Amino acid sequence: MKKSYFDEADSKQVSRCLLDYLGSTNAGVYLLRERINSMVDFLGSRGLVSPIGFDKRLSLETAAFINGLTSHVAEMDDGVRFGMIHPGAPVFSSLL
C-alpha cells in the first residue's frame, strides 16, 4: 500500500479551501458576468475549457485567467482575514 504524504487534516483543509474558492468564484461571476462576456467576445471563444460559471469554451490559459479574476474580485476567498494575499485564487485557478 502506497503511503500518502498528506494526513486526514490536510485533506480536510484542502477540501475546505476548494469549497471556499468555488463559493468566492461564484460571487465573482455574479459581479463580473457582463464584463467577462464582453472580454470573451473580444478575445473570441475558441477552445475546450469553460471557466467556472460560463458556458463558452475558451483556451486553457484564458479560462484559468478568468477563474483567477472571478475568484479574487469579491475579496472573500481563502478565509484569510488578516493578510493581503489570497493564495486560493491563483492556485486553484491553475490546478483546475
Side-chain angles (χ1 to χ4, degrees):
M1 188 158 130
K2 187 175 180 180
K3 180 174 170 42
S4 174
Y5 292 102
F6 305 103
D7 61 16
E8 187 175 340
D10 293 332
S11 295
K12 285 183 180 181
Q13 182 62 26
V14 169
S15 297
R16 283 191 293 269
C17 288
L18 178 59
L19 185 60
D20 184 69
Y21 166 81
L22 293 171
S24 62
T25 302
N26 281 323
V29 168
Y30 176 79
L31 293 170
L32 293 181
R33 181 170 300 282
E34 290 182 31
R35 290 184 181 183
I36 298 292
N37 281 328
S38 296
M39 184 184 348
V40 168
D41 290 342
F42 175 75
L43 294 172
S45 100
R46 50 190 178 273
L48 300 174
V49 182
S50 294
I52 295 170
F54 296 91
D55 56 353
K56 295 182 179 182
R57 303 242 180 228
L58 308 172
S59 70
L60 178 63
E61 296 85 0
T62 303
F65 172 73
I66 290 173
N67 285 341
L69 186 68
T70 55
S71 67
H72 192 66
V73 73
E75 289 293 333
M76 56 188 274
D77 43 338
D78 302 338
V80 177
R81 299 180 335 189
F82 303 110
M84 294 289 293
I85 63 167
H86 300 286
V91 171
F92 283 118
S93 296
S94 299
L95 289 173
L96 293 176

